Amino acid sequence: MIEARRQQLRFGDGFIAEEVADLQEDWMKHADRVLEDEQLITAVYDALARRHPKSRTRGRKGTPADVVLRLLLLKHIRNWSYQVLEREVRTNLVYRDFTHVGGAKAPDAKTMGRWGLALGRRRSKRSIAEWWNSPKRTTS
């Protein structure tokens, strides 16, 4: 079952957010504001739901669409492989906070690769480039 956003925080999420709030880079703060856009979340949610016919309503809970979007954005901005992304998110509290992984187990590289395929490489890179150049991103 796919969710657009995680409904309930885990116990450790509050501690992580409190400790790393002042350590985020400027682009992360801009990204936080822009990634609240429901159209982006819905587009990712729909792409993930198309992978399997009943994934919106059945099965165990998957990673929420906003987390998937943030992980793939971090991969693109840092120009990392999925293996490097997995390692960095597992070990870095700032990245855990930015991607909304928080205290949960970080997804593995193979899973993130499947998400990349589900979103489509060209489509996701074009969407990220459009987002990055959008006027919404540059407004304060």
Side-chain angles (χ1 to χ4, degrees):
M1 183 167 26
I2 303 168
E3 298 176 315
R5 298 179 188 276
R6 191 176 341 149
Q7 299 300 319
Q8 184 174 355
L9 297 177
R10 295 180 183 269
F11 179 73
D13 292 353
F15 297 118
I16 292 172
E18 185 178 308
E19 290 298 320
V20 301
D22 59 335
L23 299 175
Q24 281 194 343
E25 299 173 35
D26 290 336
W27 71 265
M28 290 179 177
K29 293 172 186 171
H30 286 294
D32 273 337
R33 287 193 296 267
V34 175
L35 290 176
E36 294 302 317
D37 183 9
E38 286 301 317
Q39 289 180 333
L40 282 173
I41 302 297
T42 302
V44 173
Y45 177 81
D46 290 341
L48 293 173
R50 282 193 296 270
R51 292 189 322 163
H52 300 288
K54 296 185 180 185
S55 59
R56 290 180 196 256
T57 57
R58 296 196 179 159
R60 57 188 168 163
K61 291 193 177 199
T63 306
D66 72 323
V67 175
V68 172
L69 177 63
R70 288 168 174 273
L71 283 164
L72 294 178
L73 176 67
L74 180 61
K75 177 194 178 301
H76 176 73
I77 286 177
R78 293 289 188 213
N79 197 24
W80 287 336
S81 67
Y82 289 111
Q83 289 82 12
V84 173
L85 177 64
E86 175 188 1
R87 183 186 71 230
E88 291 296 325
V89 171
R90 286 178 67 190
T91 60
N92 190 316
L93 292 178
V94 174
Y95 295 145
R96 282 182 164 275
D97 182 54
F98 171 72
T99 59
H100 292 180
V101 169
K105 184 177 183 293
D108 64 17
K110 190 172 183 179
T111 300
M112 291 186 280
R114 288 183 183 139
W115 296 335
L117 290 174
L119 293 177
R121 182 177 178 163
R122 291 180 190 202
R123 185 174 7 154
S124 63
K125 281 197 172 190
R126 184 176 62 237
S127 297
I128 289 169
E130 288 170 1
W131 164 78
W132 194 254
N133 296 318
S134 72
K136 268 176 122 175
R137 185 186 82 79
T138 58
T139 58
S140 299

